[in-house]
Structures are given as C-alpha cells and as structure tokens.
Amino acid sequence: MGSGTSTQHHFAFQNAERAFKAAALIQRWYRRYMARLEMRRRCTWNIFQSIEYAGQQDQVKLHDFFSYLMDHFTPSSHNERDFLTRIFTEERFAQDSQMEKCSDYESIEVPDSYRGPHLSFPLLPDHATALVEAFRLKQQLHARYVLNLLYETKKHLVQLPNINRVSTCYSEEITVCGDLHGQLDDLIFIFYKNGLPSPERSYVFNGDFVDRGKDSVEILMILFAFMLVYPKEFHLNRGNHEDPMVNLRYGFTKEVMSKYKIHGKEILRTLKDVFCWLPLATLIDEKVLILHGGVSDITDLELLDKIERCKIVSIMRCKTRQKSENQMEEQRIANQKSSAQGPIPWFLPQSRSLPSSPLRLGPYKAHKSSRSSSIPSGGSLDGRELSQRVRSSVELELERCRQQAGLLVTEEKEEPSCSASETDSDTGELRKPTQEEWRQVVDILWSDPMAQEGCKANTIRGGGCYFGPDVTEQLLQKYKLQFLIRSHECKPEGYEFCHNRKVLTIFSASNYYEVGSNRGAYVKLGPALTPHIVQYQANKVTHTLTMRQRISRVEESALRALREKLFAHSSNLLIEFKKHDVDKVGLITLSDWAAVVESVLHLGLPWRMLRPQLVNSSAGNMLEYKSWLKNLAEEQLSRENIQSSLLETLYRNRSNLETIFRIIDSDHSGFISLDELRQTWKLFSSHMNIDVTDDCICDLARSIDFNKDGHIDINEFLEAFRLVEKTCPEGDASECPQATNAEDSGCSSPGAC
Amino acid sequence: MKMRAREIGTIIRSLGCCPSEGELHDLIAELEEEEPTGYIRFEKFLPVMTEILLERRYRPIPEDVLLRAFEVLDTAKRGFLTKDELIKYMTEEGEPFSQEEMEEMLSAAIDPESNSINYKDYISMMVIDEN
C-alpha cells in the first residue's frame, strides 16, 4: 500500500526482467556456438566421404589399367611376356584331382593345444551362440572349422534363389542390419540389444560384412553359422564388398592372410565361391525390397531372378559376352586340343572373348540417353605409340589367351561351381553373364539415391548409378512395393530416409570413419511393416565424451587425412600456385589458394571454410605458398634417404601400390620381387601419365628392398612408410558395451530428410 | 539452388552472426516464399545475407558481457550456478532451450562432482575451443 510495496514490486520486476534478458543472452550465445560446431561436423563428414569415394575411383582406375594391359599390351621381350603371364595367372594348387577343393579341410588336424571354439556339423544353435561368445573373448576359430563352415555355407547358398522371399507371418518381427565392415563390436552389440537370431526373431544382413574393420573373418563366421542354423529366418544379401578384387584393396585379404598364415590362401579361394553365391536381394511380404546399393531405371526384378548370380565373381573384373564372340567361340573350341599343362589365367574364366573394361558403357542403346557417360574408362589409345604396333598383335595375344583358356574346358567339377571351368557339358559352350545381366547386378550393389529426378551414372564410385525419386517411384509401382531398404552409404545417424520416405538407408557400422564419427542403426519391421529404428554407438569412449570433444577428435582425424592428401599433390599444387603468382613474389591470395587446391584435388570441399585449419600463417590476405608446402612435407614422416618427391608419389598412390602388390603376389606369400614391382610400376605410371623417370623407379625399388635380397616384404614396406591405415584407432576401448551406456532412441518418425 | 529454412540458423551463425531465435524467425519469414515450402532460394538469401554482414547486424557477444549475464543469474554471487538453477533458467526464461539443447549443455558444463557450473571456467573453456 505504501510506496515501499510498489518499490519492492518494481525492484522484483526489474530483477525478473534482468534475469530474463540474461538468460536470453546466454541462450543466444550458446546456440551460435552449437551452430558452429555443427558446421565443423559437416565439413569433417564431407572430408571423410570425399576421400573415401576418391579412393574408390582410384580402385576403378587401377582395374581399368589391368584391363588395358590385357587388351593392348604387347610384351616386347620374352621376360616381359613371362612377367605378364605371371601377374595374370594364379598357380594352381592341389593339383591332385581326388582332393575336392572345398573338402580339403578334412585333412587339417586340430591340435590338442587349441583353445578356441569347436564346431561339428550339422550345426546347432548352441554352436552359433558359442561362436559369438568365443569371438567376444577374442578367440580365433581354427582354419579347419573355418573351411568346413564355408563348405557347408556354400552348399546352402547354392539352393537359394537370387531374390529371397520372406514372410512375416512366421516370425513376428524382422530386423534389418546394414554395413558392418568387419566391426565385430557392432554385431555383438546388435545381438545383445536386440536378441540373438531365433525362429521368432528374423534377421536380414544387407551386405558389406567385410573390409576396413579388423574382424571381418569373425563376422562372416557368425553370420554364416546362424544362417545354417536358422535357414528360414536368417538371410544375407551380397554387398559390393563381397568381392575378391575389392577385398584386395580394402583389407579383408590382408586380414585373412595375417590370421591364417598357413591356410589363408585356401580360405580366400573358398570365399570367392561363397561370395558369388550370396543372394542379391530379399523381399519381405512382397512389399519391402532389401538390397545393398540401390536401383536404376533399368532394374528388372524378373531378369534378376533368372540370372546365374554365381557368374559374377567380381564386379570389377567381370567380362561379358558379346554377339561377335560366336565366331571366336567356335575357334576356341577348335583350339581345345592343345593340352600343355600350365598356369591358368585367373581372370579369364569368365570370358573367352574380347575383354572389355567393365566400366565402358556398352551398346546399351535403350538407356544410353538417360545416363551421362562420364565414367572413367580404361586407357584410351589416342596418341599412344603403343597402339599401332599393338593393334596388329592383339589378335596374336588373344590367340595365346584362348589357347591357355582352352585348357580349362577339360577340367570337371562335381558340383555346380562358378570358378575355373564353366562348361555346360551339353553344349560345350561357356556361359557368362551378358552385358545386361552384369549391369543389373552392378546397379543393385553400387547405386546411390540422389535428390534430383532422373538416373545418371555414378561417376564418384565408378559403378552403378545415382537414382532419383522418380526412379524409385517407378520401381515401387511396377512391382507393387511399399518401400526400399538399402545400405552402402555411411550416415551420421546410422540411417536416413529419402525419396519421400520410400527409401531407407540403414548403416550398422558405428564410428566408421573415426571414433565418434557416426552412430550405427538397425531397423525392425513389425507385422504392418512400419519401420522402427534403433541407434547405437558401440564404443564406451564416445559416451564419456561431450559432443564438442567427439567432433574435435573426428575433425582432427579428417584434417590429418586431408593434409596428407595435400602433401601427396605438392608438385602439382606448386605448379598451379606459380601460375597465379604472376609477379613471382612467392605470394598468392587466399582466394587463389582455395581455387588451386580444388582444381588439383577435385574433392569438392569447402576450402575457404577449412582454410583456417589448413593454413597456419598468412600475412594479411596473402599466403607464402612455398613455405606452406614445405610445412606440409615436414609433417609427414619420411625416411632420410627418400626424397620428398618420391615420398609424395608413394603417398599419392599408396592404395594403388598396395593393391598392385597384392595382385602380383598371387600366391599370397607376402613377398614380391623387386623386378615385378618395378615393371608393374613402370607400366602403371606410364598408363596413368605419372611422370616418374626410370631412375626414380630404380631408386624407389632399391630403397624398398631393405635387406637387399631382391624381394620386398609387403607389410614391412607399408609399415615403414607409415602407409598402413590404422585399422583400430588408438585408445579405442573396444570392449563389449553395457546396456546402461547405450545410446538408444527408438523412434519411428525420424526427423531426417 | 535452395536450402532448408530450418538450416538458415546454422548458416547465419557460422558466418559470425549471433541472432536471437525471434530475430531468426523474422528473418526466415522474410526469406520464405509466399507459399512457405520449407525451402529458401539462394538467390533470395544472398542479398539479404550480404546486407546483414555489411551492417554487422546480430553482433556476437563479447566474453565479459556473457560473464555478467551469468552473474545476474547467480543472485547469491557464489561464482557458480547449481545444475537445477541452470536448468530452471535455461528452460523457463528467455527463449527456452529444448530438452535436447539442455542435455547437451549440461553434459559439457556441469561438473559431476559438485553438480554445478563454475561459469567463469566454462566460458573460458568454450572461448578457447572456438579458436
């Protein structure tokens, strides 16, 4: 009533107002902070993805190179011819005909000292569960059981159709998981959280079980075991990484050989058969189609149902049948008479005709118009001196190949098998996939959805296509489907809807790029087939980190990778920088820096945003580019006797080098000869127009041969130059995660897309 | 070329501006088409954004002003806020946080042993991190 009260009120009101304003200020500041963090996260993500896809492009170029070699190279000497033959052929093991290739395991003894899990067939559910537990305890399955399991797996797979049809009326619920990429922790977590497979609990694993992670073998063992135990409820789709050529590059081959030093080769050989027999897709209730990559405007499910999927051993090397082959076929049959024993071309079995680069868009006129043809193709002949003399001897080479190939016809197989000899005894003719069949499969395994309408070639990956919402809609209508589930792409949240929620991407390898980079997810489909997503991050460390710390960590990793890439292109960058430095003062503008970097690296990254983290010092708006490049070089570890330029070349072609190594090392011994490396590298660099002189190559070879015995230990070489990618991030507490720490937000209406 | 309306906030903030939620909503309303589709065209965005930057609108908040804001909330002048106090202010006052925003802030700000936030240290940490 008195002035005192109103003053109090006034005071109180003022205080409240001040509190309100203070809170608003803090919130405003905080939101800005979070936005900037989000931007960093997205940049980091872009970096990882573009580097990953650039690597895939490299892979494609490498295979184009080998195709080119096959097509056009004329050995100019006896040595070279032998060398080429050696590269492209594989020693035949176990020549004894009584030893069925796949049942060799019976002769392998399991020593008493073996403490790992034992398997007996037919497998029981307990065996499969025991496997999971054993692997969780870091035990290793003995080679005998591995081979036995693979043998049984193949027997089972052979009976399955290309498209598995599954019904939800038997099991209440189906869980679909995406890429695992050798990350055992994630698989164990999924089983822990969602339950082990059972007649009531169906699972579909949508490909890419192997490569990159360090436990691909164990994942395969578990998946195959459950498939044998619950054949009606447990389903596997093939992914683009279930492919021996891809495995050479991305780590699975290496993992097998290092875990199974004696029987690794056999295991790899058997796996080649198993992979090509994996089904291509799964269809639930005729309504939900699950496949690894995606679809294209020409996807034809009826055709896919009918093809012999085992013909496509490797997408990268698959040769296809063409009409003009018929005459050559006849001639080849006539050549069968020659019976000299010798090495057999391991890539040729798929075709006896003109080898063609798998990525050249063939005469597929019906759909040519809807695709842009900017796929990198094998080396062009234009302006190559080689081509003239090569053209005349191509026929000669073909003849030789055909003669060698003719040997294969005489081999017999007791079971349907897609390796080596593919004779249909009735017609005496080899069956290979047609161009169309091959493309149908590539599209399924390699395509990615895009936001724009239409369908265009997937130039980033080098295979498959980008498909738009109209393509999806067309397919769903044509086959009366509700939606698609696919994987193939890493997503920050582990899943993403697109195309009006008609396409769901599900990715189950958490922390894929780096600890903290992304969540994994799986999707459950109930009787109404509504998707219910569960997310997780199978690493305890991430739970104790704040988002800020997680992003910082991932960001550091991405920037490191990026700086390495920049270093690898130092020479070209310098040339381009100089062009912008007209006055020759050693300075360029930061704008020019960004433009040059993009023009050399082609990563499509927001360089201006990244600049503060890549360029330490810049006087005002200008950069001293020479010292910047020098700093980059100093950051990379280098051996004193290797020049910077050589190191640069090594870095730039690291993955290719490693892949070449592994291809040359056809018997997986871990060693190649200096000579082989030098010759292959010479061919490769001239094909790729890499400017490396002969001297340089000799230096390279010499410095690699550490003990000067003329042979190179592959792993030693890669390790010494720190060219081996970390398979396990340091400080990774990869224990089995506890339920209480799990990040789980089951939500059926995610905000994505 | 177009972008989602709800991402405008992230874009503007990462360009150095610090608008309030209210200011942001006004801006989005101005930029959206007559029939809001949830998307904003780049051609429309660019001139508006340029103007904002040239005018230095929505200036970022200096460290000392931020500190004083916390001190206002810390009525007892202890040098810290308890977890509950922080939650109350951030979710009931000003332009309230969503639950997600609140949890995220708590994860980094709150010292689990004392269950409170020493705001001076917190600010220093965040500022260093930004640079």
Side-chain angles (χ1 to χ4, degrees), chain A residues 15-16 18-40 42 546-548 550 552 609 751-753, chain B residues 7 10 13-14 16-21 59-61 65-66 69-70 72-73 90 93-97 101 104-105 107-108 122 125-126 129-130:
Chain A
N15 279 346
R18 287 175 72 210
F20 184 92
K21 283 192 175 145
L25 194 111
I26 295 171
Q27 288 151 348
R28 182 155 67 100
W29 163 82
Y30 184 77
R31 284 173 170 133
R32 174 172 175 261
Y33 176 81
M34 290 308 288
R36 295 179 68 155
L37 210 59
E38 170 65 16
M39 202 50 107
R40 279 165 64 190
R42 292 208 198 178
T546 63
M547 186 186 295
R548 181 179 65 84
R550 248 181 285 143
S552 295
M609 288 209 68
C753 203
Chain B
E7 309 223 292
T10 308
R13 283 163 174 149
S14 58
C17 302
C18 198
S20 69
E21 291 290 285
R59 304 295 298 281
I61 299 162
V65 174
L66 187 60
F70 274 103
V72 163
L73 300 180
M90 292 296 106
E93 301 283 352
E95 291 175 315
F97 274 168
E101 284 174 311
E104 185 49 52
M105 185 183 197
S107 72
Y122 176 62
M125 176 183 78
M126 298 288 260
D129 187 54
E130 279 243 89

